[in-house]
mmCIF file of all heavy atoms in Angstrom:
data_model
loop_
_atom_site.group_PDB
_atom_site.id
_atom_site.type_symbol
_atom_site.label_atom_id
_atom_site.label_comp_id
_atom_site.label_asym_id
_atom_site.label_seq_id
_atom_site.Cartn_x
_atom_site.Cartn_y
_atom_site.Cartn_z
ATOM 1 N N GLY X 279 108.922 -38.626 -16.756
ATOM 2 C CA GLY X 279 109.806 -37.804 -17.589
ATOM 3 C C GLY X 279 109.113 -36.485 -18.135
ATOM 4 O O GLY X 279 109.743 -35.423 -18.116
ATOM 5 N N LEU X 280 107.833 -36.628 -18.447
ATOM 6 C CA LEU X 280 107.084 -35.483 -18.853
ATOM 7 C C LEU X 280 106.868 -34.505 -17.715
ATOM 8 O O LEU X 280 107.072 -33.318 -17.803
ATOM 9 C CB LEU X 280 105.728 -35.970 -19.312
ATOM 10 C CG LEU X 280 104.720 -34.872 -19.910
ATOM 11 C CD1 LEU X 280 105.429 -34.215 -21.086
ATOM 12 C CD2 LEU X 280 103.404 -35.520 -20.256
ATOM 13 N N PHE X 281 106.667 -34.980 -16.520
ATOM 14 C CA PHE X 281 106.541 -34.109 -15.327
ATOM 15 C C PHE X 281 107.873 -33.348 -15.084
ATOM 16 O O PHE X 281 107.813 -32.209 -14.947
ATOM 17 C CB PHE X 281 106.260 -35.041 -14.057
ATOM 18 C CG PHE X 281 106.359 -34.313 -12.789
ATOM 19 C CD1 PHE X 281 105.373 -33.488 -12.360
ATOM 20 C CD2 PHE X 281 107.427 -34.506 -11.905
ATOM 21 C CE1 PHE X 281 105.379 -32.807 -11.173
ATOM 22 C CE2 PHE X 281 107.548 -33.825 -10.693
ATOM 23 C CZ PHE X 281 106.506 -33.019 -10.298
ATOM 24 N N ILE X 282 108.975 -34.109 -15.177
ATOM 25 C CA ILE X 282 110.253 -33.422 -15.129
ATOM 26 C C ILE X 282 110.431 -32.341 -16.029
ATOM 27 O O ILE X 282 110.914 -31.251 -15.756
ATOM 28 C CB ILE X 282 111.463 -34.477 -15.041
ATOM 29 C CG1 ILE X 282 111.462 -35.317 -13.873
ATOM 30 C CG2 ILE X 282 112.794 -33.747 -15.282
ATOM 31 C CD1 ILE X 282 112.388 -36.454 -13.941
ATOM 32 N N GLN X 283 110.228 -32.522 -17.313
ATOM 33 C CA GLN X 283 110.387 -31.657 -18.309
ATOM 34 C C GLN X 283 109.533 -30.407 -18.147
ATOM 35 O O GLN X 283 110.002 -29.207 -18.298
ATOM 36 C CB GLN X 283 109.934 -32.175 -19.800
ATOM 37 C CG GLN X 283 110.349 -31.326 -20.868
ATOM 38 C CD GLN X 283 111.705 -30.916 -20.978
ATOM 39 O OE1 GLN X 283 112.554 -31.835 -20.984
ATOM 40 N NE2 GLN X 283 112.040 -29.678 -20.971
ATOM 41 N N HIS X 284 108.240 -30.519 -17.614
ATOM 42 C CA HIS X 284 107.346 -29.373 -17.458
ATOM 43 C C HIS X 284 108.032 -28.640 -16.149
ATOM 44 O O HIS X 284 108.009 -27.354 -16.251
ATOM 45 C CB HIS X 284 105.953 -29.773 -17.014
ATOM 46 C CG HIS X 284 105.175 -30.193 -18.298
ATOM 47 N ND1 HIS X 284 104.829 -29.408 -19.279
ATOM 48 C CD2 HIS X 284 104.572 -31.470 -18.588
ATOM 49 C CE1 HIS X 284 104.171 -29.912 -20.271
ATOM 50 N NE2 HIS X 284 103.976 -31.129 -19.799
ATOM 51 N N ILE X 285 108.343 -29.279 -15.160
ATOM 52 C CA ILE X 285 109.005 -28.501 -13.908
ATOM 53 C C ILE X 285 110.255 -27.804 -14.371
ATOM 54 O O ILE X 285 110.472 -26.622 -14.012
ATOM 55 C CB ILE X 285 109.278 -29.539 -12.839
ATOM 56 C CG1 ILE X 285 108.056 -30.147 -12.356
ATOM 57 C CG2 ILE X 285 110.055 -28.787 -11.700
ATOM 58 C CD1 ILE X 285 107.011 -29.157 -11.764
ATOM 59 N N GLU X 286 111.071 -28.436 -15.160
ATOM 60 C CA GLU X 286 112.323 -27.783 -15.672
ATOM 61 C C GLU X 286 111.983 -26.535 -16.541
ATOM 62 O O GLU X 286 112.619 -25.530 -16.378
ATOM 63 C CB GLU X 286 113.180 -28.811 -16.477
ATOM 64 C CG GLU X 286 114.558 -28.258 -16.848
ATOM 65 C CD GLU X 286 115.440 -29.307 -17.483
ATOM 66 O OE1 GLU X 286 115.121 -30.472 -17.429
ATOM 67 O OE2 GLU X 286 116.463 -28.824 -18.011
ATOM 68 N N ASP X 287 111.034 -26.711 -17.459
ATOM 69 C CA ASP X 287 110.621 -25.537 -18.308
ATOM 70 C C ASP X 287 110.123 -24.416 -17.359
ATOM 71 O O ASP X 287 110.482 -23.171 -17.644
ATOM 72 C CB ASP X 287 109.524 -26.005 -19.265
ATOM 73 C CG ASP X 287 110.119 -26.941 -20.350
ATOM 74 O OD1 ASP X 287 111.281 -27.029 -20.513
ATOM 75 O OD2 ASP X 287 109.215 -27.534 -21.039
ATOM 76 N N MET X 288 109.376 -24.676 -16.399
ATOM 77 C CA MET X 288 108.767 -23.626 -15.573
ATOM 78 C C MET X 288 109.963 -23.005 -14.789
ATOM 79 O O MET X 288 109.940 -21.696 -14.628
ATOM 80 C CB MET X 288 107.752 -24.196 -14.600
ATOM 81 C CG MET X 288 106.514 -24.603 -15.234
ATOM 82 S SD MET X 288 105.207 -25.448 -14.214
ATOM 83 C CE MET X 288 105.580 -25.122 -12.530
ATOM 84 N N MET X 289 110.875 -23.752 -14.317
ATOM 85 C CA MET X 289 112.055 -23.117 -13.637
ATOM 86 C C MET X 289 112.853 -22.230 -14.516
ATOM 87 O O MET X 289 113.284 -21.150 -14.112
ATOM 88 C CB MET X 289 112.940 -24.210 -12.992
ATOM 89 C CG MET X 289 112.490 -24.951 -11.782
ATOM 90 S SD MET X 289 113.853 -26.114 -11.344
ATOM 91 C CE MET X 289 112.946 -27.068 -10.133
ATOM 92 N N ARG X 290 113.099 -22.689 -15.719
ATOM 93 C CA ARG X 290 113.959 -21.952 -16.622
ATOM 94 C C ARG X 290 113.199 -20.590 -17.118
ATOM 95 O O ARG X 290 113.812 -19.620 -17.406
ATOM 96 C CB ARG X 290 114.321 -22.779 -17.864
ATOM 97 C CG ARG X 290 115.297 -23.773 -17.473
ATOM 98 C CD ARG X 290 115.928 -24.482 -18.701
ATOM 99 N NE ARG X 290 116.730 -25.576 -18.406
ATOM 100 C CZ ARG X 290 117.977 -25.593 -17.893
ATOM 101 N NH1 ARG X 290 118.412 -24.390 -17.684
ATOM 102 N NH2 ARG X 290 118.649 -26.661 -17.591
ATOM 103 N N ALA X 291 111.947 -20.725 -17.105
ATOM 104 C CA ALA X 291 111.161 -19.444 -17.414
ATOM 105 C C ALA X 291 111.482 -18.297 -16.472
ATOM 106 O O ALA X 291 111.352 -17.092 -16.801
ATOM 107 C CB ALA X 291 109.718 -19.801 -17.522
ATOM 108 N N ASP X 292 111.578 -18.596 -15.132
ATOM 109 C CA ASP X 292 111.816 -17.712 -14.166
ATOM 110 C C ASP X 292 113.246 -17.513 -13.730
ATOM 111 O O ASP X 292 113.641 -16.430 -13.230
ATOM 112 C CB ASP X 292 111.014 -18.113 -12.910
ATOM 113 C CG ASP X 292 109.529 -17.883 -13.043
ATOM 114 O OD1 ASP X 292 109.053 -17.088 -13.994
ATOM 115 O OD2 ASP X 292 108.720 -18.655 -12.463
ATOM 116 N N TYR X 293 114.092 -18.583 -14.003
ATOM 117 C CA TYR X 293 115.456 -18.548 -13.521
ATOM 118 C C TYR X 293 116.275 -19.032 -14.681
ATOM 119 O O TYR X 293 116.560 -20.287 -14.731
ATOM 120 C CB TYR X 293 115.689 -19.346 -12.282
ATOM 121 C CG TYR X 293 114.821 -19.029 -11.142
ATOM 122 C CD1 TYR X 293 113.524 -19.621 -10.898
ATOM 123 C CD2 TYR X 293 115.032 -17.880 -10.246
ATOM 124 C CE1 TYR X 293 112.704 -19.259 -9.894
ATOM 125 C CE2 TYR X 293 114.270 -17.599 -9.284
ATOM 126 C CZ TYR X 293 113.069 -18.262 -9.053
ATOM 127 O OH TYR X 293 112.161 -17.896 -8.028
ATOM 128 N N ASN X 294 116.734 -18.153 -15.578
ATOM 129 C CA ASN X 294 117.452 -18.699 -16.746
ATOM 130 C C ASN X 294 118.817 -19.278 -16.466
ATOM 131 O O ASN X 294 119.428 -19.904 -17.343
ATOM 132 C CB ASN X 294 117.516 -17.558 -17.847
ATOM 133 C CG ASN X 294 118.225 -16.333 -17.324
ATOM 134 O OD1 ASN X 294 118.640 -16.248 -16.251
ATOM 135 N ND2 ASN X 294 118.285 -15.342 -18.109
ATOM 136 N N ASP X 295 119.410 -18.952 -15.228
ATOM 137 C CA ASP X 295 120.758 -19.498 -15.044
ATOM 138 C C ASP X 295 120.684 -20.737 -14.128
ATOM 139 O O ASP X 295 121.763 -21.234 -13.652
ATOM 140 C CB ASP X 295 121.588 -18.378 -14.371
ATOM 141 C CG ASP X 295 121.020 -17.948 -13.000
ATOM 142 O OD1 ASP X 295 119.813 -18.161 -12.716
ATOM 143 O OD2 ASP X 295 121.721 -17.259 -12.308
ATOM 144 N N VAL X 296 119.537 -21.377 -13.911
ATOM 145 C CA VAL X 296 119.435 -22.604 -13.202
ATOM 146 C C VAL X 296 119.969 -23.764 -13.951
ATOM 147 O O VAL X 296 119.797 -23.782 -15.294
ATOM 148 C CB VAL X 296 117.998 -22.863 -12.727
ATOM 149 C CG1 VAL X 296 117.071 -23.282 -13.968
ATOM 150 C CG2 VAL X 296 117.880 -23.955 -11.643
ATOM 151 N N GLN X 297 120.778 -24.586 -13.369
ATOM 152 C CA GLN X 297 121.272 -25.770 -13.960
ATOM 153 C C GLN X 297 120.514 -26.970 -13.449
ATOM 154 O O GLN X 297 119.980 -27.024 -12.295
ATOM 155 C CB GLN X 297 122.773 -25.975 -13.604
ATOM 156 C CG GLN X 297 123.642 -24.821 -13.997
ATOM 157 C CD GLN X 297 125.090 -25.120 -13.611
ATOM 158 O OE1 GLN X 297 125.451 -26.175 -13.134
ATOM 159 N NE2 GLN X 297 125.864 -24.074 -13.702
ATOM 160 N N THR X 298 120.330 -27.934 -14.306
ATOM 161 C CA THR X 298 119.553 -29.162 -13.932
ATOM 162 C C THR X 298 120.335 -30.451 -14.275
ATOM 163 O O THR X 298 121.249 -30.413 -15.197
ATOM 164 C CB THR X 298 118.206 -29.236 -14.545
ATOM 165 O OG1 THR X 298 118.414 -29.309 -16.092
ATOM 166 C CG2 THR X 298 117.346 -28.132 -14.250
ATOM 167 N N HIS X 299 120.117 -31.416 -13.413
ATOM 168 C CA HIS X 299 120.793 -32.728 -13.668
ATOM 169 C C HIS X 299 119.697 -33.779 -13.351
ATOM 170 O O HIS X 299 119.041 -33.749 -12.369
ATOM 171 C CB HIS X 299 121.928 -33.023 -12.614
ATOM 172 C CG HIS X 299 123.043 -31.913 -12.649
ATOM 173 N ND1 HIS X 299 124.011 -31.981 -13.569
ATOM 174 C CD2 HIS X 299 123.199 -30.796 -11.910
ATOM 175 C CE1 HIS X 299 124.877 -30.961 -13.421
ATOM 176 N NE2 HIS X 299 124.282 -30.164 -12.387
ATOM 177 N N THR X 300 119.565 -34.698 -14.334
ATOM 178 C CA THR X 300 118.581 -35.754 -14.275
ATOM 179 C C THR X 300 119.135 -37.129 -14.217
ATOM 180 O O THR X 300 120.128 -37.384 -15.014
ATOM 181 C CB THR X 300 117.544 -35.604 -15.421
ATOM 182 O OG1 THR X 300 116.827 -34.298 -15.452
ATOM 183 C CG2 THR X 300 116.472 -36.722 -15.331
ATOM 184 N N VAL X 301 118.781 -37.919 -13.294
ATOM 185 C CA VAL X 301 119.163 -39.367 -13.363
ATOM 186 C C VAL X 301 117.889 -40.143 -13.476
ATOM 187 O O VAL X 301 116.803 -39.749 -13.024
ATOM 188 C CB VAL X 301 119.939 -39.752 -11.982
ATOM 189 C CG1 VAL X 301 121.254 -38.970 -11.926
ATOM 190 C CG2 VAL X 301 119.087 -39.480 -10.800
ATOM 191 N N ARG X 302 118.033 -41.212 -14.237
ATOM 192 C CA ARG X 302 116.860 -42.045 -14.595
ATOM 193 C C ARG X 302 117.097 -43.411 -14.057
ATOM 194 O O ARG X 302 118.180 -44.067 -14.325
ATOM 195 C CB ARG X 302 116.647 -42.066 -16.057
ATOM 196 C CG ARG X 302 115.406 -42.556 -16.455
ATOM 197 C CD ARG X 302 115.077 -42.288 -17.980
ATOM 198 N NE ARG X 302 113.717 -42.463 -18.171
ATOM 199 C CZ ARG X 302 113.221 -43.555 -18.825
ATOM 200 N NH1 ARG X 302 113.984 -44.448 -19.235
ATOM 201 N NH2 ARG X 302 111.923 -43.620 -19.042
ATOM 202 N N LYS X 303 116.153 -43.870 -13.234
ATOM 203 C CA LYS X 303 116.211 -45.286 -12.748
ATOM 204 C C LYS X 303 116.104 -46.280 -13.949
ATOM 205 O O LYS X 303 115.525 -46.002 -14.939
ATOM 206 C CB LYS X 303 115.086 -45.528 -11.785
ATOM 207 C CG LYS X 303 115.257 -46.707 -10.860
ATOM 208 C CD LYS X 303 114.285 -46.597 -9.728
ATOM 209 C CE LYS X 303 114.502 -47.708 -8.753
ATOM 210 N NZ LYS X 303 115.755 -47.684 -8.042
ATOM 211 N N ASN X 304 116.823 -47.353 -13.801
ATOM 212 C CA ASN X 304 116.592 -48.386 -14.798
ATOM 213 C C ASN X 304 115.706 -49.486 -14.291
ATOM 214 O O ASN X 304 114.956 -49.149 -13.213
ATOM 215 C CB ASN X 304 118.052 -49.044 -15.183
ATOM 216 C CG ASN X 304 118.674 -49.784 -14.137
ATOM 217 O OD1 ASN X 304 118.090 -50.135 -13.094
ATOM 218 N ND2 ASN X 304 119.986 -50.130 -14.293
ATOM 219 N N PHE X 305 115.622 -50.567 -14.819
ATOM 220 C CA PHE X 305 114.586 -51.575 -14.507
ATOM 221 C C PHE X 305 115.027 -52.413 -13.245
ATOM 222 O O PHE X 305 114.278 -53.239 -12.862
ATOM 223 C CB PHE X 305 114.242 -52.529 -15.688
ATOM 224 C CG PHE X 305 113.481 -51.733 -16.694
ATOM 225 C CD1 PHE X 305 114.136 -51.221 -17.875
ATOM 226 C CD2 PHE X 305 112.225 -51.341 -16.511
ATOM 227 C CE1 PHE X 305 113.443 -50.570 -18.882
ATOM 228 C CE2 PHE X 305 111.447 -50.703 -17.498
ATOM 229 C CZ PHE X 305 112.159 -50.240 -18.669
ATOM 230 N N THR X 306 116.212 -52.155 -12.693
ATOM 231 C CA THR X 306 116.741 -52.850 -11.540
ATOM 232 C C THR X 306 116.242 -52.021 -10.328
ATOM 233 O O THR X 306 116.795 -51.014 -10.012
ATOM 234 C CB THR X 306 118.167 -53.023 -11.518
ATOM 235 O OG1 THR X 306 118.599 -53.544 -12.753
ATOM 236 C CG2 THR X 306 118.682 -53.827 -10.401
ATOM 237 N N SER X 307 115.216 -52.554 -9.659
ATOM 238 C CA SER X 307 114.747 -51.792 -8.532
ATOM 239 C C SER X 307 115.621 -51.585 -7.335
ATOM 240 O O SER X 307 115.434 -50.625 -6.677
ATOM 241 C CB SER X 307 113.407 -52.481 -8.004
ATOM 242 O OG SER X 307 113.674 -53.761 -7.419
ATOM 243 N N SER X 308 116.668 -52.386 -7.198
ATOM 244 C CA SER X 308 117.527 -52.182 -6.035
ATOM 245 C C SER X 308 118.633 -51.307 -6.367
ATOM 246 O O SER X 308 119.432 -51.029 -5.435
ATOM 247 C CB SER X 308 118.018 -53.653 -5.648
ATOM 248 O OG SER X 308 118.752 -54.213 -6.652
ATOM 249 N N LYS X 309 118.794 -50.858 -7.566
ATOM 250 C CA LYS X 309 119.984 -49.951 -8.006
ATOM 251 C C LYS X 309 119.665 -48.556 -7.413
ATOM 252 O O LYS X 309 118.720 -47.971 -7.771
ATOM 253 C CB LYS X 309 120.067 -49.911 -9.406
ATOM 254 C CG LYS X 309 121.436 -49.098 -9.822
ATOM 255 C CD LYS X 309 121.500 -49.139 -11.434
ATOM 256 C CE LYS X 309 122.757 -48.280 -11.828
ATOM 257 N NZ LYS X 309 122.518 -46.901 -11.841
ATOM 258 N N LEU X 310 120.524 -48.105 -6.640
ATOM 259 C CA LEU X 310 120.455 -46.722 -6.094
ATOM 260 C C LEU X 310 120.888 -45.662 -7.110
ATOM 261 O O LEU X 310 121.888 -45.941 -7.800
ATOM 262 C CB LEU X 310 121.228 -46.581 -4.808
ATOM 263 C CG LEU X 310 120.892 -47.577 -3.683
ATOM 264 C CD1 LEU X 310 121.766 -47.380 -2.546
ATOM 265 C CD2 LEU X 310 119.456 -47.391 -3.247
ATOM 266 N N ILE X 311 120.160 -44.564 -7.235
ATOM 267 C CA ILE X 311 120.673 -43.578 -8.226
ATOM 268 C C ILE X 311 120.806 -42.214 -7.599
ATOM 269 O O ILE X 311 121.440 -41.318 -8.246
ATOM 270 C CB ILE X 311 119.679 -43.552 -9.428
ATOM 271 C CG1 ILE X 311 118.220 -43.133 -8.971
ATOM 272 C CG2 ILE X 311 119.741 -44.786 -10.221
ATOM 273 C CD1 ILE X 311 117.329 -42.919 -10.124
ATOM 274 N N ALA X 312 120.237 -41.943 -6.454
ATOM 275 C CA ALA X 312 120.337 -40.493 -5.842
ATOM 276 C C ALA X 312 121.908 -40.152 -5.634
ATOM 277 O O ALA X 312 122.148 -39.000 -5.726
ATOM 278 C CB ALA X 312 119.580 -40.541 -4.626
ATOM 279 N N ASN X 313 122.614 -41.174 -5.398
ATOM 280 C CA ASN X 313 124.076 -40.846 -5.030
ATOM 281 C C ASN X 313 124.721 -40.273 -6.215
ATOM 282 O O ASN X 313 125.790 -39.671 -6.178
ATOM 283 C CB ASN X 313 124.793 -42.124 -4.617
ATOM 284 C CG ASN X 313 124.770 -43.269 -5.690
ATOM 285 O OD1 ASN X 313 123.741 -43.454 -6.288
ATOM 286 N ND2 ASN X 313 125.923 -43.838 -5.866
ATOM 287 N N GLU X 314 124.226 -40.454 -7.434
ATOM 288 C CA GLU X 314 124.758 -39.876 -8.670
ATOM 289 C C GLU X 314 124.662 -38.338 -8.727
ATOM 290 O O GLU X 314 125.272 -37.641 -9.418
ATOM 291 C CB GLU X 314 124.127 -40.501 -9.948
ATOM 292 C CG GLU X 314 124.374 -42.010 -10.104
ATOM 293 C CD GLU X 314 123.614 -42.595 -11.255
ATOM 294 O OE1 GLU X 314 123.293 -41.853 -12.217
ATOM 295 O OE2 GLU X 314 123.371 -43.799 -11.241
ATOM 296 N N LEU X 315 123.830 -37.783 -7.900
ATOM 297 C CA LEU X 315 123.683 -36.342 -7.865
ATOM 298 C C LEU X 315 124.351 -35.666 -6.652
ATOM 299 O O LEU X 315 124.476 -34.498 -6.609
ATOM 300 C CB LEU X 315 122.054 -36.037 -7.672
ATOM 301 C CG LEU X 315 121.244 -36.441 -8.838
ATOM 302 C CD1 LEU X 315 119.789 -36.259 -8.509
ATOM 303 C CD2 LEU X 315 121.559 -35.521 -10.047
ATOM 304 N N GLU X 316 124.945 -36.548 -5.758
ATOM 305 C CA GLU X 316 125.647 -35.990 -4.623
ATOM 306 C C GLU X 316 126.753 -35.015 -4.935
ATOM 307 O O GLU X 316 127.565 -35.387 -5.815
ATOM 308 C CB GLU X 316 126.168 -37.159 -3.775
ATOM 309 C CG GLU X 316 126.644 -36.775 -2.366
ATOM 310 C CD GLU X 316 127.011 -37.954 -1.574
ATOM 311 O OE1 GLU X 316 126.638 -39.076 -1.786
ATOM 312 O OE2 GLU X 316 127.722 -37.670 -0.545
ATOM 313 N N GLY X 317 126.760 -33.803 -4.296
ATOM 314 C CA GLY X 317 127.752 -32.922 -4.584
ATOM 315 C C GLY X 317 127.471 -32.099 -5.820
ATOM 316 O O GLY X 317 128.292 -31.140 -6.179
#
Side-chain angles (χ1 to χ4, degrees):
L280 184 61
F281 171 77
I282 288 173
Q283 187 60 54
H284 284 299
I285 298 299
E286 187 174 349
D287 291 346
M288 288 175 18
M289 282 184 191
R290 289 190 187 285
D292 292 334
Y293 306 97
N294 60 358
D295 62 346
V296 71
Q297 296 178 14
T298 60
H299 303 275
T300 301
V301 293
R302 190 165 199 260
K303 196 163 184 69
N304 66 16
F305 292 101
T306 307
S307 62
S308 61
K309 182 179 182 281
L310 302 177
I311 60 173
N313 62 316
E314 295 176 26
L315 297 171
E316 189 171 346

